[in-house]
């Protein structure tokens, strides 16, 4: 149905042998007394790209936010079940949420640079952690900007305001800010929805490169994008996980009629 980029696709048997980055068991989430996620069970493989697809309001972002406990900012939040990341139950009472969020980077739909320099944006998280060594900060900023494919464009203006960057550059800056903390997981919530087609392609190519360094989860409404960049895709409908498989199979030979109806545009 969609043209797919060349990528490694694992068989069911091979998938079962891969390292797991995130393991979700019987997850239920309520927000504002609404049952948003219902009995979600999913295993996210390490150093792969997994796309979360589905209609607006189906629970994609809520699931993404469950991986760094962002839902807890909502006062009426309630959850049951387990989320294991790197063999740790992240909802265990002994879990330090601040440490968790340094290990799991988050990039939102719209770029949100701080009103400070490019350099200070990238180094912000490191400084919050107490890093004061200027040489260490310089090296980390350069490394993160290179990973985000932004270094060559900003190397001569690191101390200019981040607000002077274009929209696409600001989104890559947000990725650099997350990568500066060297996360093991990167969460992307519709990272290209506000960008033009050429910049979107640039970000997609960057996402594919990033899986060499960390596990990537991306929420997207763009079926073509999910098919192009992801190794695995999970289709969520009204809070339930309908189908989860390698992206080639899901977009060309889905097992569920409901999935086929969605990806072919019969509803959604």
């Amino acid at each position: 149905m969609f043209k797919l980029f060349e990528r490694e696709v694992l068989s069911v048997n091979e998938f079962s042998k891969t390292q797991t980055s995130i393991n979700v068991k019987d997850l239920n989430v309520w927000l504002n007394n609404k049952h948003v996620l219902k009995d979600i069970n999913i295993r996210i493989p390490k150093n792969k790209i997994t796309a979360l697809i589905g209609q607006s309001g189906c629970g994609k972002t809520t699931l993404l936010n469950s991986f760094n406990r962002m839902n807890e900012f909502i006062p009426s939040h309630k959850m049951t079940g387990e989320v294991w990341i790197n063999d740790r139950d992240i909802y265990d009472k002994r879990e330090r949420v601040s440490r968790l969020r340094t290990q799991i980077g988050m990039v939102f739909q719209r770029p949100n640079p701080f009103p400070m320099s490019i350099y200070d944006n990238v180094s912000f998280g490191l400084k919050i952690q107490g890093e004061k060594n200027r040489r260490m900060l310089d090296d980390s900023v350069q490394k993160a900007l290179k990973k985000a494919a932004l270094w060559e464009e900003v190397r001569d203006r690191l101390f200019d305001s981040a607000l002077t960057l274009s929209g696409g550059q600001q989104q890559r800056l947000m990725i650099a800010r997350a990568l500066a903390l060297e996360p093991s997981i990167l969460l992307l919530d519709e990272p290209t929805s506000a960008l033009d087609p050429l910049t979107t392609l640039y970000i997609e190519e960057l996402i594919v490169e990033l899986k060499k360094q960390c596990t990537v989860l991306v929420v997207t409404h763009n079926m073509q994008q999910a098919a192009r960049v992801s190794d695995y895709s999970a289709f969520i409908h009204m809070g339930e996980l309908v189908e989860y498989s390698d992206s080639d199979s899901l977009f060309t030979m889905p097992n569920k009629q409901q999935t086929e109806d969605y990806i072919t545009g019969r509803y959604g």
Side-chain angles (χ1 to χ4, degrees):
M1 297 175 183
F2 301 121
K3 182 179 179 182
L4 308 178
F5 288 167
E6 289 187 7
R7 57 177 175 265
E8 176 189 9
V9 177
L10 301 180
S11 68
V12 174
N13 289 335
E14 289 171 322
F15 177 80
S16 66
K17 298 175 183 177
T18 60
Q19 284 186 285
T20 297
S21 183
I22 304 173
N23 194 3
V24 180
K25 303 177 181 179
D26 301 319
L27 178 66
N28 287 269
V29 175
W30 291 262
L31 301 177
N32 297 319
N33 297 318
K34 180 181 178 182
H35 197 176
V36 180
L37 293 177
K38 305 169 184 176
D39 297 318
I40 301 293
N41 288 276
I42 190 170
R43 186 166 70 85
I44 306 298
K46 189 175 182 179
N47 290 102
K48 300 294 180 184
I49 301 169
T50 299
L52 305 179
I53 63 173
Q55 294 171 291
S56 296
C58 72
K60 303 183 301 296
T61 296
T62 299
L63 180 58
L64 200 72
N65 289 341
S66 297
F67 301 148
N68 63 356
R69 295 179 57 167
M70 289 285 286
N71 291 323
E72 293 180 1
F73 286 114
I74 300 174
S76 62
H77 164 264
K78 177 186 173 184
M79 65 85 65
T80 61
E82 300 176 2
V83 178
W84 291 76
I85 294 181
N86 298 328
D87 298 321
R88 297 200 325 267
D89 179 359
I90 67 168
Y91 285 91
D92 188 288
K93 293 181 180 179
R94 294 168 293 182
E95 181 68 35
R96 288 171 50 202
V97 180
S98 59
R99 183 185 69 167
L100 173 72
R101 291 179 181 148
T102 64
Q103 297 171 346
I104 302 177
M106 183 83 178
V107 176
F108 297 95
Q109 181 175 357
R110 293 186 179 277
N112 58 337
F114 301 135
M116 55 181 66
S117 71
I118 295 167
Y119 182 99
D120 287 338
N121 264 273
V122 180
S123 62
F124 184 83
L126 294 168
K127 291 178 179 177
I128 289 294
Q129 287 188 331
E131 182 59 65
K132 297 179 180 179
N133 186 296
R134 185 54 184 255
R135 186 170 182 177
M136 183 73 72
L137 290 171
D138 289 349
D139 289 346
S140 296
V141 168
Q142 181 176 342
K143 185 178 178 181
L145 287 169
K146 284 183 174 179
K147 286 180 179 178
L150 189 58
W151 173 251
E152 294 301 327
E153 297 172 42
V154 302
R155 61 186 301 174
D156 296 324
R157 51 185 181 130
L158 291 176
F159 297 98
D160 289 354
S161 171
L163 302 179
T164 64
L165 297 175
S166 69
Q169 288 175 323
Q170 286 186 11
Q171 193 64 303
R172 281 181 282 150
L173 179 66
M174 298 303 92
I175 293 173
R177 191 167 73 189
L179 293 177
L181 294 172
E182 298 186 348
S184 60
I185 296 169
L186 184 63
L187 309 177
L188 306 173
D189 191 359
E190 296 195 56
T192 63
S193 63
L195 304 178
D196 62 83
L198 185 59
T199 305
T200 292
L201 181 61
Y202 203 92
I203 296 290
E204 288 179 0
E205 292 174 346
L206 173 59
I207 291 171
V208 173
E209 284 297 309
L210 288 176
K211 72 176 180 178
K212 297 175 183 177
Q213 306 161 36
C214 57
T215 301
V216 181
L217 287 98
V218 56
V219 165
T220 180
H221 281 103
N222 188 322
M223 296 300 97
Q224 291 89 344
Q225 181 176 82
R228 283 193 298 264
V229 307
S230 66
D231 300 295
Y232 296 91
S233 291
F235 171 48
I236 300 170
H237 180 67
M238 297 183 68
E240 297 181 354
L241 179 60
V242 176
E243 187 166 350
Y244 175 50
S245 70
D246 69 86
S247 295
D248 286 354
S249 297
L250 188 139
F251 285 106
T252 58
M253 295 180 295
N255 289 323
K256 303 289 183 66
Q257 183 64 46
Q258 196 173 17
T259 307
E260 183 173 348
D261 288 346
Y262 178 72
I263 65 177
T264 54
R266 292 183 186 139
Y267 71 87

